[in-house]
């Protein structure tokens, strides 16, 4: 007969009501306060759990029982002294409960938290650290900054957006010209989350500086540093980086992940996007099949004031603009002139190479082709530092964070400035006069 559910398991399933005796549960690191717009339009706050998983210890003395544990959806990480331990999402806890097996479910404690950067890369942020930073920034920037979730990742993590707009918070509409900075569509490109985070910090820390104050007073700035948190957590889990690019979709062939930068629904499934689930550039079964891309889509569609988008990636030191799915230039000639002028202007500051995405290679379903093609948003991809795999590739070391941010601050401020009318960049005499505004804004 199956043993009855242990009382300790029941208690542990409601951690808020029953604090763990050893106080190892780090409430602050696991939760974050976000703003939500209620249906009535007012702003409410809620505390969200940033890591939905629990650590479970199941009495499982034989492999048959352990298979049942695994079938319930627990990812077994350890088998010791007749117990199988591992991570479980709420649905797996429910399934485990139905097995009647005796188990304990514990909120993640730091000592049960192997997913983190190695010591030498500790300056990079894992998901909990990123969430805590964004939360702190929202508090520090009260009156200007708000933090909200644009949706959930596949594994249930909130996709956090920090917004800088003194007149609108959370998901509220705003008439101000809007810009969105995103990072970490690709899991292993960790630097791509650090740069938008530092940008948020810079803007909040310097919010009283006249040039920054003027810039922020006239714009609606969104910063979404980690579009693919599940992939990030996996990439840093264990004793080595996994070089993981995609999200954590379990594909039918047993492989993990859809390439979020092949999953957007503009010319989806054309060149440079694989149909093989095991491929690093797997496009997914359908356009916008993934919750992460669906959330970005819904967010962008909800904010019709967005005029500029910058998606940070690594590496190669490039400034890319549409198209990416075809070698043909975008048909809107004045817009192309504006793209070229903006890319050239920014390249003079960060030293990157400006080019259409398709010059790099043809790839369909990327963020910027969709944002430009479907929404008319001036959209750039920055491939950050370093230049090559041999000079650090996806793991350039913590020292790259500050220098890469310094190189890209001026381009970021320029894009914020240009958001009122990016097309003006195509008119040379006006572009020159606007440049001085931004130069002075540093
Ligand atoms: O391939 C990508 O998704 C991007 N490069 S990365 O090394 N970060 O993976 C570049 C996307 C540029 N877009 C197109 N070439 N369409
Ligand atoms: Zn990338």
């Amino acid at each position: 007969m199956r043993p009855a559910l242990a009382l300790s398991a029941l208690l542990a399933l409601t951690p808020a009501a029953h604090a763990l005796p050893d106080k190892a549960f780090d409430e602050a690191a696991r939760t974050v306060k976000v703003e939500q717009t209620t249906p009535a339009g007012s702003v409410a706050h809620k505390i969200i759990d940033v890591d939905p998983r629990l650590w479970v210890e199941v009495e499982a003395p034989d492999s048959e029982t352990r298979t049942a544990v695994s079938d319930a959806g627990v990812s077994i990480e350890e088998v010791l002294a007749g117990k199988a331990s591992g991570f479980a999402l709420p649905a797996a806890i429910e399934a485990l409960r139905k097995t009647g097996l005796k188990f304990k479910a514990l909120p993640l404690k730091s000592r049960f938290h192997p997913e983190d950067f190695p010591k030498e890369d500790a300056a990079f942020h894992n998901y909990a650290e990123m969430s805590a930073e964004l939360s702190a920034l929202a508090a520090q920037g009260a009156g200007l900054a708000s933090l909200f979730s644009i949706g959930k990742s596949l594994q249930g993590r909130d996709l956090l957006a920090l917004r800088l707009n003194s007149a609108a918070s959370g998901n509220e509409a705003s008439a101000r010209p809007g810009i969105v900075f995103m990072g970490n569509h690709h899991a292993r490109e960790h630097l791509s989350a650090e740069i938008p985070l530092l940008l948020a910090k810079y803007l909040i820390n310097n919010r009283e500086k006249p040039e920054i104050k003027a810039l922020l007073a006239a714009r609606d700035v969104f910063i979404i540093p980690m579009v693919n948190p599940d992939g990030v957590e996996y990439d840093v889990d264990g004793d080595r980086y996994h070089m993981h690019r995609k999200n954590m979709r379990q594909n039918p062939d047993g492989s993990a992940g859809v390439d979020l930068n092949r999953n957007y629904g503009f010319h989806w499934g054309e060149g440079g996007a694989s149909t093989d689930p095991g491929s690093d550039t797997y496009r997914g079964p359908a356009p916008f099949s993934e919750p992460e891309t669906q959330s970005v889509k819904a967010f962008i569609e909800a904010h019709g004031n967005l005029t500029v988008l910058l998606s940070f990636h690594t590496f190669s030191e490039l400034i890319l603009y549409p198209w990416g799915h075809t070698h043909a230039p975008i048909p809107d000639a004045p817009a192309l002139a504006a793209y070229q002028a903006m890319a050239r202007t920014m390249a003079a500051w960060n030293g990157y190479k400006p080019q259409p995405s398709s010059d790099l290679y043809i790839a369909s379903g990327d963020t910027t082709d969709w944002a430009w093609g479907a929404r008319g948003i001036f959209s750039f991809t920055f491939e950050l530092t370093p230049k090559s795999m041999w000079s650090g590739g996806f793991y350039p070391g913590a020292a790259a964070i500050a220098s890469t941010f310094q190189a890209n601050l001026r381009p970021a401020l320029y894009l914020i400035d240009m958001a009122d009318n990016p097309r003006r960049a195509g008119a040379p005499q006006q572009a020159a006069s606007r440049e001085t505004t931004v130069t002075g804004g540093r």
Side-chain angles (χ1 to χ4, degrees):
M1 203 181 107
R2 298 268 191 210
L5 181 67
L7 178 62
S8 61
L10 280 172
L11 294 180
L13 284 171
T14 52
H18 304 276
L20 289 175
D22 63 2
K23 295 191 172 35
F25 173 35
D26 184 354
E27 181 76 44
R30 288 190 70 236
T31 59
V32 58
K33 189 176 171 189
V34 300
E35 284 189 359
Q36 285 200 317
T37 310
T38 65
S42 63
V43 174
H45 287 94
K46 81 166 181 167
I47 301 288
I48 54 172
D49 216 339
V50 297
D51 193 332
R53 298 168 309 164
L54 298 175
W55 179 260
V56 291
E57 291 173 3
V58 193
E59 303 281 353
D62 51 59
S63 81
E64 194 198 354
T65 314
R66 289 195 287 276
T67 303
V69 174
S70 168
D71 285 348
V74 177
S75 72
I76 299 176
E77 310 286 340
E78 186 181 278
V79 176
L80 212 62
K83 283 185 187 156
S85 305
F87 297 113
L89 287 164
I93 299 284
E94 201 42 44
L96 197 55
R97 202 172 55 75
K98 288 188 181 134
T99 67
L101 290 169
K102 192 173 171 195
F103 72 97
K104 271 202 292 193
L106 308 170
L108 295 180
K109 304 172 187 182
S110 48
R111 66 195 158 94
F112 285 154
H113 219 283
E115 54 286 279
D116 203 355
F117 288 91
K119 257 203 326 281
E120 63 277 16
D121 281 349
F124 287 88
H125 293 75
N126 65 21
Y127 180 66
E129 291 163 350
M130 175 64 75
S131 305
E133 282 275 358
L134 291 174
S135 212
L137 282 172
Q140 190 197 332
L144 168 69
S146 58
L147 185 63
F148 68 106
S149 168
I150 64 162
K152 299 238 183 227
S153 70
L154 192 73
Q155 293 179 343
R157 295 183 175 88
D158 274 285
L159 306 175
L160 296 173
L162 189 77
R163 184 181 196 179
L164 305 180
N165 184 333
S166 59
S169 69
N171 236 332
E172 289 170 352
S174 171
R176 294 184 187 177
I179 177 166
V180 57
F181 297 92
M182 288 187 279
N184 249 160
H185 269 77
H186 289 146
R188 63 194 171 197
E189 298 171 12
H190 301 288
L191 193 57
S192 74
E194 300 299 324
I195 305 310
L197 174 64
L198 280 180
L199 176 63
K201 255 189 197 164
Y202 176 89
L203 292 172
I204 288 173
N205 286 338
N206 292 283
R207 60 187 286 199
E208 294 306 333
K209 258 184 151 177
E211 322 82 67
I212 301 300
K213 198 172 186 164
L215 199 59
L216 292 175
R219 297 289 181 270
D220 191 13
V221 180
F222 295 91
I223 297 174
I224 308 173
M226 218 179 254
V227 172
N228 179 12
D230 299 350
V232 168
E233 290 292 277
Y234 170 67
D235 194 55
V236 301
D237 183 10
D239 57 2
R240 64 177 177 91
Y241 288 121
H242 292 277
M243 272 266 189
H244 189 73
R245 169 181 169 97
K246 302 184 284 179
N247 75 348
M248 292 306 289
R249 169 74 67 192
Q250 289 306 301
N251 297 321
D253 69 348
S255 65
V258 167
D259 183 352
L260 299 179
N261 215 30
R262 300 291 181 276
N263 192 240
Y264 285 82
F266 187 79
H267 288 262
W268 175 86
E270 296 183 9
S274 179
T275 55
D276 172 3
S279 161
D280 250 4
T281 57
Y282 176 45
R283 67 194 194 186
F288 293 115
S289 57
E290 303 311 297
E292 294 86 357
T293 51
Q294 284 165 19
S295 299
V296 172
K297 176 179 189 278
F299 158 74
I300 287 177
E301 288 176 348
H303 295 277
N305 61 325
L306 289 169
T307 59
V308 179
L309 176 154
L310 172 51
S311 184
F312 289 106
H313 284 252
T314 74
F315 56 91
S316 289
E317 303 192 351
L318 302 171
I319 295 177
L320 306 175
Y321 52 88
W323 299 125
H325 72 282
T326 171
H327 286 297
I330 59 168
D332 179 339
L336 179 59
Y339 266 118
Q340 289 166 336
M342 290 167 88
R344 252 198 325 268
T345 299
M346 294 188 287
W349 291 325
N350 65 9
Y352 296 1
K353 185 177 173 204
Q355 60 186 38
S357 299
S358 56
D359 275 13
L360 183 61
Y361 42 72
I362 292 279
S364 50
D366 81 2
T367 315
T368 53
D369 270 18
W370 175 77
W372 173 248
R375 305 293 305 172
I377 296 170
F378 278 78
S379 300
F380 296 88
T381 300
F382 277 17
E383 296 284 357
L384 297 167
T385 301
K387 263 209 167 76
S388 78
M389 199 68 163
W390 313 114
S391 41
F394 297 115
Y395 307 103
I401 299 173
S403 55
T404 305
F405 173 66
Q406 278 312 316
N408 285 286
L409 174 58
R410 205 156 155 189
L413 296 176
Y414 168 78
L415 286 179
I416 297 172
D417 184 39
M418 294 302 285
D420 65 323
N421 177 17
R423 286 174 185 268
R424 67 183 159 82
Q429 69 286 11
Q430 287 176 26
S433 74
R434 299 300 304 194
E435 239 175 66
T436 47
T437 313
V438 174
T439 313
R442 291 201 68 202

